[in-house]
Amino acid sequence: MDEDQRAYLYELAAKDEFRPPRRQPRPKAQPQLQRMLDDMAHTPAFVIGPRTEIVAWNTMGAALITDFGKIPEKQRYYIRLLITDPTMRELYADWEGVTRLAIAQLRMHNTNNPGDTQLAALVGELSIRDEQFRKWWGAHNVAVRDTGTKHLRHPVVGDLHLDWNAVTWAADTNLQIIVWTAESGTPTHDSLRMLASWAADPGHAVRSSNSA
């Protein structure tokens, strides 16, 4: 049993035996958080909630992943995109590994929400739609969302090997800022600069969350 699994069991042991179903409000990004994201002109970033709801992003985050503003808010969950959007399967070179990790993180980061109706609806929908999701969710694996490296096959700038870090927002600890970076001087770093120029072109403009 690894550290994440032990932490998960300790969290469960500390909970009440029964909690009635409840609806947790969807988290919102404060204006200062959005301003910080927008100031990161060359760095892809977005803000994710415990259910993987995407609550804010910058232009580069949209250029790297997808134009989140075109997705209805009620469907704007990262795990839902991974399962239902075929372009996400093309974007991630190791789509299965990325998706299984995201599911393990979803379970871990909702230890405090066992009766959350929105989470139950999301898991229920994806379990019906996708056999793989149903299998992986049923495995009960857990993982903390912290840091890692991912290989992306971007349709505009090609292969990217990006480090990502999850930074908890102090004003609302349910929110984490996912920041993607590359070491200076690497091909990926140069590709991010190219992507920033592409995203800044009005003909290819993608929207940040305050223009969604």
Side-chain angles (χ1 to χ4, degrees):
M1 185 179 295
D2 62 23
E3 290 186 9
D4 290 347
Q5 291 170 325
R6 283 195 294 271
Y8 177 67
L9 289 178
Y10 292 151
E11 287 282 350
L12 288 180
K15 305 305 170 194
D16 294 335
E17 189 170 325
F18 172 76
R19 287 187 180 185
R22 64 194 188 283
R23 184 177 181 84
Q24 296 282 358
R26 187 182 182 94
K28 300 290 184 181
Q30 297 173 337
Q32 58 266 43
L33 176 53
Q34 185 62 57
R35 288 196 299 269
M36 184 182 75
L37 294 175
D38 292 338
D39 284 344
M40 300 163 66
H42 296 96
T43 303
F46 58 87
V47 179
I48 195 168
R51 310 178 194 93
T52 76
E53 55 270 74
I54 304 297
V55 301
W57 58 92
N58 63 8
T59 298
M60 279 292 285
L64 179 68
I65 306 298
T66 189
D67 190 348
F68 297 113
K70 292 183 177 180
I71 303 169
E73 186 179 85
K74 291 183 178 180
Q75 299 176 13
R76 200 183 293 151
Y77 294 89
Y78 205 78
I79 190 64
R80 191 177 189 279
L81 289 172
L82 285 170
I83 295 296
T84 65
D85 188 345
T87 62
M88 297 293 273
R89 297 179 184 243
E90 298 295 326
L91 179 64
Y92 286 106
D94 180 20
W95 172 84
E96 179 175 331
V98 168
T99 304
R100 295 183 73 163
L101 176 61
I103 291 171
Q105 292 167 341
L106 175 65
R107 184 176 286 281
M108 182 71 184
H109 287 269
N110 283 277
T111 307
N112 293 321
N113 301 324
D116 180 38
T117 56
Q118 290 186 63
L119 177 63
L122 177 64
V123 170
E125 177 201 357
L126 297 180
S127 295
I128 292 171
R129 294 185 64 156
D130 190 88
E131 182 180 353
Q132 287 178 301
F133 176 88
R134 185 166 64 250
K135 174 184 175 182
W136 295 336
W137 178 258
H140 289 267
N141 293 324
V142 291
V144 172
R145 189 184 300 122
D146 49 15
T147 187
T149 301
K150 290 193 171 89
H151 176 197
L152 280 67
R153 294 170 175 156
H154 196 273
V156 174
V157 295
D159 280 4
L160 300 169
H161 296 271
L162 291 165
D163 298 320
W164 64 272
N165 288 272
V167 182
T168 301
W169 181 242
D172 184 349
T173 55
N174 283 320
L175 297 180
Q176 290 183 297
I177 309 163
I178 309 299
V179 183
W180 304 74
T181 61
E183 185 177 352
S184 180
T186 62
T188 293
H189 184 267
D190 295 340
S191 294
L192 284 182
R193 298 287 173 169
M194 293 173 56
L195 184 61
S197 297
W198 176 85
D201 184 338
H204 304 119
V206 289
R207 298 172 293 177
S208 64
S209 63
N210 56 13
S211 61

